[in-house]
Structures are given as structure tokens and as C-alpha cells.
Amino acid sequence: AQTVTQSQPEMSVQEAETVTLSCTYDTSESDYYLFWYKQPPSRQMILVIRQEAYKQQNATENRFSVNFQKAAKSFSLKISDSQLGDAAMYFCAATQGGSEKLVFGKGTKLTVNP
Amino acid sequence: ETGVTQSPTHLIKTRGQQVTLRCSSQSGHNTVSWYQQALGQGPQFIFQYYREEENGRGNFPPRFSGLQFPNYSSELNVNALELDDSALYLCASSMDTKRWREQYFGPGTRLTVT
């Protein structure tokens, strides 16, 4: 079965600084998709960034970028110029099978200090 | 275009009772997935519905059942509630079951079983 592991239960960063959240996954599939979701206290799961496994180029979305290492099955999220509004739980997720079933990690709680 | 909505926001049930949670998918979406998120954990896939048919199921017992209606809204039913069913229940809708489509999540229903 596919697994997603986030080894950092909590991280903190100073406002305007850069932070990297780690994620590793295990899959036997050749074609899959990886995601980072943000879940603020409001509970709404918000898509931050998506990476297709067949693309070598790392995805970027404004201040958010990923470091996708397919051979190492690693998918880390870098947040640049951290803002107070970035404080939330961050979940790494991967697709499984031919459906849109997502397998999630346990999450990393990010605190942004002013 | 409206987003994914869920009702109710919160509810409290007693062990052994039955509960129905509702989800209205985003306009134009024909696929709904349900996830259970226990406190401090990542979401876990319960099942997915595509055009009113179940299209995949996670490791949940048969007392978790669902429905999808012609307008693609969906219900999650849980019978014989147990204390461990206390969780945040998220639904997510998507355009179709194609692997590369991201899901849009609703705000969730917080279920407490006493």
C-alpha cells in the first residue's frame, strides 16, 4: 500500500524567512501525482501546489516551491518570505491507483513568528 | 460558481446512533470523495462516488455507506456509531476521476460521538 511520511510534526519560522517541510512517499506506481495541502484552523483543506511525477521540473506557485526527487521518493515544500498567514497544518498527499484517492501524511504544524 | 459545501458544521451523537452527513459538490463536478480526519491525523479515504456509482473504497467497515444524487451532491451515512468515529469528515469534489485533477475540499463536518 502507498504510504506518505512527514517526519516533522512541528516547524517554526520567523516572518520573512524561508522554511522547508519534508515529505517522503512510497509507491510502486510509475505515474502519480503529489500535492501539498494547507489546513488552517478554519479546517478548509486548500491546495498549495501540485507536482506530476512524469515532470522533472519542480513546480512553483509564487512563494511556494517543491524539491521533487523521484528516485529518492522525496517531495519537500519550500516557503519563501514566510507570512503570518502561512501558519497552518501542512499535509503532503499522493494519488493512488486510477482514481483520485489521495493518501495523506500526518501533517506538519507550521508556526510563523513575528 | 459556488464551492463545496457541507452540512451540518458540527453535531453530537450518542454511541449506537446513526448519522447522515451531506455534501454539495462544486458546480460542474461529478465526482465526490469522502475522507475521515481524526484529531491530529491526516485525512483517510472512505470512498468515492462518480456519477452516482461507488468508484473505490478505503479500509472502512460496511456501516459507512454513501449515496450520490443526480445533481452530484452526496451523503455519508454511518450506522451504529462508535466512539472512534469522532472525527472531522471532509468531502471533496472534482471534475472527473482522471488522476491529474485536483480535488476541492469542503469545510468539513465535526462529528462527536459520546
PDB file of all heavy atoms in Angstrom, chain A residues 75-87:
ATOM      1  N   PHE A  75       9.644  14.692  -1.567  1.00  0.00           N
ATOM      2  CA  PHE A  75       8.836  15.797  -2.115  1.00  0.00           C
ATOM      3  C   PHE A  75       8.714  16.862  -1.046  1.00  0.00           C
ATOM      4  O   PHE A  75       7.746  16.905  -0.293  1.00  0.00           O
ATOM      5  CB  PHE A  75       7.462  15.229  -2.512  1.00  0.00           C
ATOM      6  CG  PHE A  75       6.515  16.218  -3.131  1.00  0.00           C
ATOM      7  CD1 PHE A  75       6.810  16.853  -4.322  1.00  0.00           C
ATOM      8  CD2 PHE A  75       5.285  16.494  -2.530  1.00  0.00           C
ATOM      9  CE1 PHE A  75       5.931  17.755  -4.906  1.00  0.00           C
ATOM     10  CE2 PHE A  75       4.390  17.383  -3.102  1.00  0.00           C
ATOM     11  CZ  PHE A  75       4.712  18.012  -4.289  1.00  0.00           C
ATOM     12  N   SER A  76       9.679  17.759  -0.962  1.00  0.00           N
ATOM     13  CA  SER A  76       9.676  18.773   0.083  1.00  0.00           C
ATOM     14  C   SER A  76       9.078  20.083  -0.423  1.00  0.00           C
ATOM     15  O   SER A  76       9.130  20.388  -1.613  1.00  0.00           O
ATOM     16  CB  SER A  76      11.092  18.999   0.615  1.00  0.00           C
ATOM     17  OG  SER A  76      11.941  19.438  -0.423  1.00  0.00           O
ATOM     18  N   LEU A  77       8.527  20.838   0.497  1.00  0.00           N
ATOM     19  CA  LEU A  77       7.887  22.127   0.190  1.00  0.00           C
ATOM     20  C   LEU A  77       8.722  23.244   0.792  1.00  0.00           C
ATOM     21  O   LEU A  77       9.021  23.216   1.985  1.00  0.00           O
ATOM     22  CB  LEU A  77       6.473  22.177   0.780  1.00  0.00           C
ATOM     23  CG  LEU A  77       5.746  23.521   0.676  1.00  0.00           C
ATOM     24  CD1 LEU A  77       5.384  23.817  -0.784  1.00  0.00           C
ATOM     25  CD2 LEU A  77       4.485  23.517   1.542  1.00  0.00           C
ATOM     26  N   LYS A  78       9.090  24.211  -0.042  1.00  0.00           N
ATOM     27  CA  LYS A  78       9.816  25.375   0.434  1.00  0.00           C
ATOM     28  C   LYS A  78       8.899  26.592   0.389  1.00  0.00           C
ATOM     29  O   LYS A  78       8.286  26.874  -0.644  1.00  0.00           O
ATOM     30  CB  LYS A  78      11.060  25.644  -0.407  1.00  0.00           C
ATOM     31  CG  LYS A  78      11.920  26.774   0.132  1.00  0.00           C
ATOM     32  CD  LYS A  78      13.261  26.884  -0.574  1.00  0.00           C
ATOM     33  CE  LYS A  78      13.159  27.665  -1.843  1.00  0.00           C
ATOM     34  NZ  LYS A  78      14.491  27.958  -2.431  1.00  0.00           N
ATOM     35  N   ILE A  79       8.807  27.281   1.519  1.00  0.00           N
ATOM     36  CA  ILE A  79       8.024  28.507   1.605  1.00  0.00           C
ATOM     37  C   ILE A  79       9.008  29.653   1.800  1.00  0.00           C
ATOM     38  O   ILE A  79       9.746  29.699   2.797  1.00  0.00           O
ATOM     39  CB  ILE A  79       7.012  28.467   2.771  1.00  0.00           C
ATOM     40  CG1 ILE A  79       6.138  27.218   2.676  1.00  0.00           C
ATOM     41  CG2 ILE A  79       6.163  29.728   2.782  1.00  0.00           C
ATOM     42  CD1 ILE A  79       5.207  27.024   3.875  1.00  0.00           C
ATOM     43  N   SER A  80       9.029  30.547   0.849  1.00  0.00           N
ATOM     44  CA  SER A  80       9.921  31.705   0.921  1.00  0.00           C
ATOM     45  C   SER A  80       9.161  32.915   1.454  1.00  0.00           C
ATOM     46  O   SER A  80       7.944  33.010   1.315  1.00  0.00           O
ATOM     47  CB  SER A  80      10.477  32.028  -0.469  1.00  0.00           C
ATOM     48  OG  SER A  80      11.139  30.907  -1.020  1.00  0.00           O
ATOM     49  N   ASP A  81       9.927  33.857   2.080  1.00  0.00           N
ATOM     50  CA  ASP A  81       9.299  35.088   2.572  1.00  0.00           C
ATOM     51  C   ASP A  81       8.050  34.767   3.386  1.00  0.00           C
ATOM     52  O   ASP A  81       6.945  35.252   3.096  1.00  0.00           O
ATOM     53  CB  ASP A  81       8.969  36.013   1.395  1.00  0.00           C
ATOM     54  CG  ASP A  81       8.453  37.371   1.830  1.00  0.00           C
ATOM     55  OD1 ASP A  81       8.798  37.807   2.945  1.00  0.00           O
ATOM     56  OD2 ASP A  81       7.681  37.980   1.061  1.00  0.00           O
ATOM     57  N   SER A  82       8.208  33.927   4.394  1.00  0.00           N
ATOM     58  CA  SER A  82       7.066  33.448   5.181  1.00  0.00           C
ATOM     59  C   SER A  82       6.227  34.595   5.734  1.00  0.00           C
ATOM     60  O   SER A  82       6.764  35.623   6.188  1.00  0.00           O
ATOM     61  CB  SER A  82       7.560  32.577   6.335  1.00  0.00           C
ATOM     62  OG  SER A  82       8.202  31.420   5.849  1.00  0.00           O
ATOM     63  N   GLN A  83       4.926  34.404   5.701  1.00  0.00           N
ATOM     64  CA  GLN A  83       3.977  35.395   6.196  1.00  0.00           C
ATOM     65  C   GLN A  83       3.160  34.796   7.338  1.00  0.00           C
ATOM     66  O   GLN A  83       3.025  33.570   7.434  1.00  0.00           O
ATOM     67  CB  GLN A  83       3.069  35.851   5.054  1.00  0.00           C
ATOM     68  CG  GLN A  83       3.830  36.468   3.894  1.00  0.00           C
ATOM     69  CD  GLN A  83       2.940  36.822   2.719  1.00  0.00           C
ATOM     70  OE1 GLN A  83       1.731  36.608   2.747  1.00  0.00           O
ATOM     71  NE2 GLN A  83       3.547  37.381   1.681  1.00  0.00           N
ATOM     72  N   LEU A  84       2.616  35.669   8.180  1.00  0.00           N
ATOM     73  CA  LEU A  84       1.835  35.192   9.323  1.00  0.00           C
ATOM     74  C   LEU A  84       0.680  34.305   8.864  1.00  0.00           C
ATOM     75  O   LEU A  84       0.299  33.343   9.535  1.00  0.00           O
ATOM     76  CB  LEU A  84       1.320  36.376  10.133  1.00  0.00           C
ATOM     77  CG  LEU A  84       2.396  37.231  10.822  1.00  0.00           C
ATOM     78  CD1 LEU A  84       1.750  38.416  11.542  1.00  0.00           C
ATOM     79  CD2 LEU A  84       3.222  36.404  11.790  1.00  0.00           C
ATOM     80  N   GLY A  85       0.126  34.613   7.705  1.00  0.00           N
ATOM     81  CA  GLY A  85      -0.990  33.835   7.172  1.00  0.00           C
ATOM     82  C   GLY A  85      -0.607  32.441   6.693  1.00  0.00           C
ATOM     83  O   GLY A  85      -1.476  31.632   6.383  1.00  0.00           O
ATOM     84  N   ASP A  86       0.691  32.162   6.667  1.00  0.00           N
ATOM     85  CA  ASP A  86       1.130  30.814   6.265  1.00  0.00           C
ATOM     86  C   ASP A  86       1.009  29.822   7.419  1.00  0.00           C
ATOM     87  O   ASP A  86       1.136  28.609   7.216  1.00  0.00           O
ATOM     88  CB  ASP A  86       2.585  30.845   5.782  1.00  0.00           C
ATOM     89  CG  ASP A  86       2.774  31.654   4.509  1.00  0.00           C
ATOM     90  OD1 ASP A  86       1.804  31.765   3.726  1.00  0.00           O
ATOM     91  OD2 ASP A  86       3.889  32.177   4.305  1.00  0.00           O
ATOM     92  N   ALA A  87       0.785  30.308   8.623  1.00  0.00           N
ATOM     93  CA  ALA A  87       0.674  29.421   9.775  1.00  0.00           C
ATOM     94  C   ALA A  87      -0.530  28.500   9.606  1.00  0.00           C
ATOM     95  O   ALA A  87      -1.652  28.956   9.382  1.00  0.00           O
ATOM     96  CB  ALA A  87       0.524  30.233  11.057  1.00  0.00           C
TER      97      ALA A  87
END
